Amino acid sequence: MNRETTTLISLKETMTRVDHKLQALEAQFKELDFTKDNLAQKFEHHSKTLANQVAQDELWTAVLSLKFTPMELNILYSYVIEVLICLHTRVLEELPDLVRGLPTLTSILRRKVKNKRIRVVWESVLAECGLQEGDITALCTFFVAHGNKAEHYIAKVRQMYIRDVNFLITNMVKNQALQDGLLKAVQVIEKGKAVRAPEEQKSSLKELMPTVKS
């Protein structure tokens, strides 16, 4: 074997070793990229969880620190409860075969997480009303915080006490999520108040209140 042949063989062996090392490094980089992406996803999820928790804490603080008079609180509560009843009723209208399995709004909120059919109808009803999930969170938080002591006022009574409830909300409620939710609740009810009869409202109110409070 001449010198040139020996040199070529040695060069090929060297290139093979280098190629193997490059492949090993490429595999390591892929593994590092996967680990990086996984950590980034976990960090993003953790950040969102913390942000949601902070937003929830701020919402609860805002709801519990409202400085309304009992009469003003009852008026806002009336809009909130009527919106919750309206949403429950609309979902049942779209899912008549599930009426027995969805006796309350709470059952809808619970089951829509795993039931796509319920979730699709729920999202459609929210869209029809111009509401978002954040609005529902705000309204439910308000209801849980004040539902045990507030009273429901019918529309005529509400108008006797307060002419401009929107001004009351924007002037007194500083938390943006809570303010948006209450303003939208007023808008939904004022737009649809001529559609539902007082008897229907009373009946729905009795059905919804015990379970939501619990």
Side-chain angles (χ1 to χ4, degrees):
M1 184 179 296
N2 58 36
R3 190 172 181 179
E4 290 183 357
T5 302
T6 303
T7 302
L8 286 174
I9 292 174
S10 177
L11 180 60
K12 287 182 178 179
E13 291 176 347
T14 301
M15 291 180 66
T16 299
R17 288 196 298 271
V18 171
D19 186 54
H20 288 165
K21 287 184 178 180
L22 288 174
Q23 289 179 6
L25 286 172
E26 184 179 2
Q28 290 179 2
F29 277 119
K30 287 182 178 179
E31 184 177 353
L32 287 173
D33 282 340
F34 175 79
T35 302
K36 180 200 69 175
D37 292 340
N38 191 33
L39 288 173
Q41 290 177 0
K42 289 183 177 180
F43 179 76
E44 183 179 1
H45 176 72
H46 185 60
S47 297
K48 288 181 178 179
T49 300
L50 288 176
N52 289 336
Q53 186 59 54
V54 170
Q56 277 291 319
D57 291 343
E58 291 177 350
L59 180 59
W60 271 103
T61 300
V63 169
L64 294 173
S65 61
L66 292 173
K67 302 300 182 182
F68 291 114
T69 66
M71 179 267 294
E72 293 170 338
L73 192 66
N74 288 340
I75 289 176
L76 293 180
Y77 166 82
S78 300
Y79 282 108
V80 170
I81 190 64
E82 287 183 17
V83 167
L84 298 182
I85 291 171
C86 177
L87 293 174
H88 181 228
T89 302
R90 285 288 298 112
V91 171
L92 295 186
E93 289 173 350
E94 297 296 323
L95 300 171
D97 57 314
L98 297 181
V99 169
R100 290 187 177 183
L102 300 172
T104 64
L105 182 65
T106 304
S107 62
I108 292 174
L109 296 177
R110 187 185 302 116
R111 292 188 57 188
K112 74 179 178 65
V113 178
K114 296 183 178 180
N115 189 308
K116 182 179 180 180
R117 185 180 171 211
I118 296 175
R119 183 168 64 254
V120 169
V121 170
W122 169 254
E123 292 173 351
S124 175
V125 169
L126 286 187
E128 288 175 7
C129 295
L131 296 169
Q132 298 178 351
E133 289 289 351
D135 301 319
I136 305 306
T137 299
L139 297 179
C140 287
T141 302
F142 181 96
F143 180 87
V144 172
H146 300 292
N148 63 330
K149 60 180 180 293
E151 297 180 21
H152 176 259
Y153 288 174
I154 63 174
K156 289 183 178 179
V157 176
R158 295 197 294 260
Q159 293 172 359
M160 286 173 55
Y161 287 116
I162 295 181
R163 291 292 181 182
D164 190 350
V165 68
N166 290 319
F167 176 78
L168 174 68
I169 294 171
T170 54
N171 190 49
M172 297 290 288
V173 181
K174 303 307 178 185
N175 180 274
Q176 194 62 52
L178 181 57
Q179 183 185 114
D180 289 344
L182 291 173
L183 288 173
K184 288 181 181 179
V186 172
Q187 183 180 34
V188 170
I189 298 305
E190 291 301 321
K191 281 187 175 182
K193 64 184 178 182
V195 177
R196 304 186 63 210
E199 291 76 13
E200 182 185 352
Q201 291 182 354
K202 287 183 180 180
S203 175
S204 299
L205 185 63
K206 290 179 181 178
E207 293 175 1
L208 180 73
M209 287 180 64
T211 305
V212 176
K213 283 185 178 180
S214 63

